[in-house]
Amino acid sequence: MEAPRIPPDRDLSIDAVRALCLPVVVLLHALQMGISGDPLRASNALAHWQPLVWITWIGMIMPTFFIAGGFAGITTWRRLRASGGTAGEYLRIRALRLARPVLPAMLAVLAVLGILALCGVDAGFLRTFAFRLAEPLWFIAVYASCTAFVPFMAKLHRLAAWPTYFGLAGAAVAVDLLSRFAGLPIAALNWLFVWLFVQQLGFGVRDGWYAKRPRWLLLALAAVAYGLMCVAVFGLGYSPDMLVNLNPPTVLLLLLGLAQVYLFTLLQPLIRAVVRRRRVLLVVGALGVFGMTIYLWHTVAMGIVVGIQLALGLPFPEPLTGAWWLTRVPWILAIAIVIAVLCPLVARIERLWPKERPGPMRLWAAILATVLLVVAVGWVLTQGYLVPGTAGAVIALAAAIAWLTAGRPARR
């Protein structure tokens, strides 16, 4: 049997790490969903599980997602620009790829919550549960924001790569210091500075910067990055929990991004060799095709599984107890089964989207539509699904999709 054809401009190592990171993120979200009490309430089940703190020094793989996103973003932009495409066209393509899958997933979550409410499920539980289901949307809001900067950041990377790296890192450090030690309410700025820096690391991977360095140097730089993280934790009072440092991002995530890009480069030859095996490549390909569906719809799957559990009268053990850990296996398997059923169904739904109108889009229009996307998703993320403004957020998201699909011809 012939091996699957691999496009010449694809890097299998990037596809592989994205595929590997996806199950890790979904598994973490599934384990964090704690439902217990009388009346029932949803909470972060792992909030007080101390081993997770140190696991996050390796298991927090969101920087790798943004590194891979930077690699893909600059590759797409360069290809589009070489064929005469515009920044507005790039923003339109990337924003649509994010916005279109989000809308049906949000509507599905609302539908599940609505069914639970009609079945008489406690309103207090639904509010806490709905808020937990909205949390994974942070990635969509931040990733859409960073992606919108790719054409501009790619130009800075071409003209002044090192000043750009140091400028973003300096801005992130300044925000951290001023918010932490001067009490200024500016920590949220690092949602942009930290993730733009990590995305920029993906540009360096695309250009082969790190692969040109000696292996001993990459290992030493990774050790230095982890060493600086220890200084921040044990000397400056930063939390050792990378999940705490995620919201909002701190310089520890910036340093973790550096460590991960060096370690990834060291492992790239091995990853490429493993992924070329047919079975591995098929798994990576499947996770690539259904990756966004798995990420967005695993919250729907959790809602469905909880609904079934309530309908059957099954108990909800207290998080971190022996009974809770034992039930995590069937809990995760049930979520995986529902996701497997949903993936082909969602693919059919997504094929119903109308084709976008041919032609580029004006940059200002693409920017405004992207802002509308980010604001809509950000509202649900920060407020939860069961608030009065959710209907407006859904309408705003639908409007952004319609605008991006219809487009507006750019002046030549």
Short mmCIF file of all heavy atoms in Angstrom, two decimals, residues 99 103 106 368-377 379 389-404:
data_model
loop_
_atom_site.label_atom_id
_atom_site.label_comp_id
_atom_site.label_asym_id
_atom_site.label_seq_id
_atom_site.Cartn_x
_atom_site.Cartn_y
_atom_site.Cartn_z
N ALA A 99 -14.13 31.63 12.91
CA ALA A 99 -15.48 32.04 13.28
C ALA A 99 -16.54 31.01 12.91
O ALA A 99 -17.46 30.74 13.69
CB ALA A 99 -15.82 33.38 12.64
N LEU A 103 -19.59 29.32 15.84
CA LEU A 103 -21.02 29.62 15.95
C LEU A 103 -21.87 28.38 16.20
O LEU A 103 -22.66 28.35 17.16
CB LEU A 103 -21.50 30.38 14.71
CG LEU A 103 -22.98 30.79 14.72
CD1 LEU A 103 -23.29 31.68 15.91
CD2 LEU A 103 -23.34 31.49 13.41
N MET A 106 -21.28 27.07 19.75
CA MET A 106 -21.93 27.88 20.78
C MET A 106 -23.43 27.61 20.82
O MET A 106 -24.04 27.48 21.90
CB MET A 106 -21.65 29.36 20.52
CG MET A 106 -20.22 29.77 20.84
SD MET A 106 -19.86 31.50 20.38
CE MET A 106 -21.01 32.39 21.41
N LEU A 368 -12.40 45.14 11.25
CA LEU A 368 -13.62 45.36 12.03
C LEU A 368 -14.39 44.05 12.22
O LEU A 368 -14.94 43.79 13.30
CB LEU A 368 -14.50 46.40 11.34
CG LEU A 368 -14.02 47.85 11.44
CD1 LEU A 368 -14.99 48.77 10.72
CD2 LEU A 368 -13.87 48.28 12.90
N ALA A 369 -14.46 43.23 11.18
CA ALA A 369 -15.15 41.93 11.30
C ALA A 369 -14.44 41.03 12.30
O ALA A 369 -15.07 40.32 13.09
CB ALA A 369 -15.24 41.26 9.94
N THR A 370 -13.10 41.07 12.30
CA THR A 370 -12.33 40.28 13.25
C THR A 370 -12.54 40.78 14.68
O THR A 370 -12.67 39.98 15.62
CB THR A 370 -10.83 40.31 12.91
OG1 THR A 370 -10.64 39.84 11.57
CG2 THR A 370 -10.02 39.45 13.86
N VAL A 371 -12.58 42.09 14.84
CA VAL A 371 -12.86 42.68 16.16
C VAL A 371 -14.24 42.24 16.65
O VAL A 371 -14.43 41.89 17.82
CB VAL A 371 -12.78 44.22 16.11
CG1 VAL A 371 -13.32 44.84 17.40
CG2 VAL A 371 -11.34 44.66 15.89
N LEU A 372 -15.22 42.23 15.75
CA LEU A 372 -16.56 41.79 16.11
C LEU A 372 -16.54 40.33 16.56
O LEU A 372 -17.21 39.96 17.54
CB LEU A 372 -17.49 41.97 14.91
CG LEU A 372 -19.01 41.89 15.16
CD1 LEU A 372 -19.45 42.92 16.17
CD2 LEU A 372 -19.77 42.07 13.84
N LEU A 373 -15.78 39.50 15.87
CA LEU A 373 -15.61 38.10 16.25
C LEU A 373 -15.01 37.99 17.65
O LEU A 373 -15.53 37.25 18.51
CB LEU A 373 -14.70 37.40 15.23
CG LEU A 373 -13.93 36.15 15.67
CD1 LEU A 373 -14.88 35.02 15.99
CD2 LEU A 373 -12.93 35.73 14.60
N VAL A 374 -13.94 38.72 17.91
CA VAL A 374 -13.25 38.64 19.19
C VAL A 374 -14.14 39.14 20.32
O VAL A 374 -14.21 38.53 21.40
CB VAL A 374 -11.93 39.44 19.14
CG1 VAL A 374 -11.30 39.53 20.53
CG2 VAL A 374 -10.95 38.80 18.16
N VAL A 375 -14.85 40.24 20.09
CA VAL A 375 -15.73 40.79 21.13
C VAL A 375 -16.87 39.82 21.44
O VAL A 375 -17.21 39.59 22.61
CB VAL A 375 -16.30 42.16 20.68
CG1 VAL A 375 -17.41 42.62 21.63
CG2 VAL A 375 -15.19 43.20 20.63
N ALA A 376 -17.46 39.23 20.42
CA ALA A 376 -18.57 38.29 20.62
C ALA A 376 -18.12 37.08 21.43
O ALA A 376 -18.76 36.69 22.41
CB ALA A 376 -19.14 37.85 19.27
N VAL A 377 -17.00 36.48 21.03
CA VAL A 377 -16.49 35.31 21.74
C VAL A 377 -16.02 35.71 23.14
O VAL A 377 -16.25 35.00 24.12
CB VAL A 377 -15.34 34.65 20.95
CG1 VAL A 377 -14.69 33.53 21.76
CG2 VAL A 377 -15.86 34.10 19.63
N TRP A 379 -17.15 38.06 25.05
CA TRP A 379 -18.28 38.28 25.94
C TRP A 379 -18.73 36.97 26.57
O TRP A 379 -18.91 36.87 27.79
CB TRP A 379 -19.44 38.93 25.18
CG TRP A 379 -20.70 38.98 26.02
CD1 TRP A 379 -21.71 38.06 26.05
CD2 TRP A 379 -21.05 39.99 26.97
NE1 TRP A 379 -22.66 38.43 26.95
CE2 TRP A 379 -22.30 39.60 27.54
CE3 TRP A 379 -20.45 41.16 27.39
CZ2 TRP A 379 -22.94 40.37 28.50
CZ3 TRP A 379 -21.08 41.93 28.36
CH2 TRP A 379 -22.30 41.54 28.90
N GLY A 389 -26.76 39.11 27.70
CA GLY A 389 -26.02 39.55 26.53
C GLY A 389 -25.60 38.45 25.58
O GLY A 389 -25.06 38.73 24.50
N THR A 390 -25.82 37.19 25.96
CA THR A 390 -25.37 36.07 25.11
C THR A 390 -26.04 36.09 23.74
O THR A 390 -25.40 35.84 22.71
CB THR A 390 -25.64 34.73 25.81
OG1 THR A 390 -24.92 34.69 27.04
CG2 THR A 390 -25.18 33.58 24.93
N ALA A 391 -27.34 36.42 23.72
CA ALA A 391 -28.05 36.48 22.43
C ALA A 391 -27.40 37.51 21.53
O ALA A 391 -27.21 37.27 20.32
CB ALA A 391 -29.52 36.81 22.66
N GLY A 392 -27.05 38.66 22.10
CA GLY A 392 -26.38 39.69 21.31
C GLY A 392 -25.03 39.23 20.81
O GLY A 392 -24.63 39.55 19.67
N ALA A 393 -24.30 38.48 21.64
CA ALA A 393 -22.99 37.98 21.23
C ALA A 393 -23.12 37.00 20.07
O ALA A 393 -22.32 37.03 19.13
CB ALA A 393 -22.29 37.32 22.41
N VAL A 394 -24.11 36.13 20.15
CA VAL A 394 -24.33 35.16 19.07
C VAL A 394 -24.70 35.88 17.78
O VAL A 394 -24.21 35.55 16.69
CB VAL A 394 -25.44 34.16 19.46
CG1 VAL A 394 -25.83 33.30 18.27
CG2 VAL A 394 -24.96 33.28 20.61
N ILE A 395 -25.55 36.90 17.89
CA ILE A 395 -25.93 37.68 16.70
C ILE A 395 -24.72 38.40 16.12
O ILE A 395 -24.53 38.46 14.90
CB ILE A 395 -27.05 38.68 17.06
CG1 ILE A 395 -28.34 37.92 17.39
CG2 ILE A 395 -27.30 39.66 15.92
CD1 ILE A 395 -29.44 38.79 17.98
N ALA A 396 -23.88 38.96 17.01
CA ALA A 396 -22.67 39.66 16.55
C ALA A 396 -21.73 38.71 15.84
O ALA A 396 -21.13 39.05 14.81
CB ALA A 396 -21.97 40.32 17.74
N LEU A 397 -21.59 37.49 16.37
CA LEU A 397 -20.73 36.50 15.72
C LEU A 397 -21.28 36.12 14.35
O LEU A 397 -20.53 36.01 13.37
CB LEU A 397 -20.61 35.27 16.61
CG LEU A 397 -19.75 34.12 16.08
CD1 LEU A 397 -18.34 34.58 15.76
CD2 LEU A 397 -19.73 32.96 17.07
N ALA A 398 -22.60 35.92 14.28
CA ALA A 398 -23.23 35.60 13.00
C ALA A 398 -23.03 36.74 12.00
O ALA A 398 -22.79 36.51 10.81
CB ALA A 398 -24.71 35.31 13.20
N ALA A 399 -23.12 37.98 12.51
CA ALA A 399 -22.92 39.15 11.64
C ALA A 399 -21.48 39.20 11.12
O ALA A 399 -21.24 39.52 9.94
CB ALA A 399 -23.26 40.42 12.40
N ALA A 400 -20.52 38.89 11.99
CA ALA A 400 -19.11 38.87 11.57
C ALA A 400 -18.89 37.83 10.47
O ALA A 400 -18.19 38.09 9.48
CB ALA A 400 -18.21 38.59 12.77
N ILE A 401 -19.50 36.65 10.64
CA ILE A 401 -19.37 35.59 9.64
C ILE A 401 -19.99 36.03 8.32
O ILE A 401 -19.41 35.83 7.23
CB ILE A 401 -20.02 34.29 10.14
CG1 ILE A 401 -19.24 33.75 11.34
CG2 ILE A 401 -20.07 33.24 9.03
CD1 ILE A 401 -19.91 32.60 12.05
N ALA A 402 -21.18 36.63 8.39
CA ALA A 402 -21.86 37.08 7.17
C ALA A 402 -21.03 38.15 6.47
O ALA A 402 -20.90 38.14 5.23
CB ALA A 402 -23.24 37.64 7.53
N TRP A 403 -20.45 39.06 7.22
CA TRP A 403 -19.63 40.13 6.66
C TRP A 403 -18.38 39.56 5.99
O TRP A 403 -18.04 39.92 4.86
CB TRP A 403 -19.25 41.11 7.76
CG TRP A 403 -18.69 42.43 7.28
CD1 TRP A 403 -18.48 42.82 5.99
CD2 TRP A 403 -18.26 43.51 8.11
NE1 TRP A 403 -17.96 44.09 5.95
CE2 TRP A 403 -17.81 44.54 7.25
CE3 TRP A 403 -18.23 43.72 9.48
CZ2 TRP A 403 -17.33 45.75 7.72
CZ3 TRP A 403 -17.75 44.93 9.95
CH2 TRP A 403 -17.31 45.94 9.09
N LEU A 404 -17.71 38.64 6.69
CA LEU A 404 -16.51 38.04 6.14
C LEU A 404 -16.82 37.18 4.92
O LEU A 404 -16.03 37.10 3.98
CB LEU A 404 -15.82 37.19 7.20
CG LEU A 404 -15.16 37.95 8.36
CD1 LEU A 404 -14.87 37.02 9.52
CD2 LEU A 404 -13.88 38.64 7.89
#
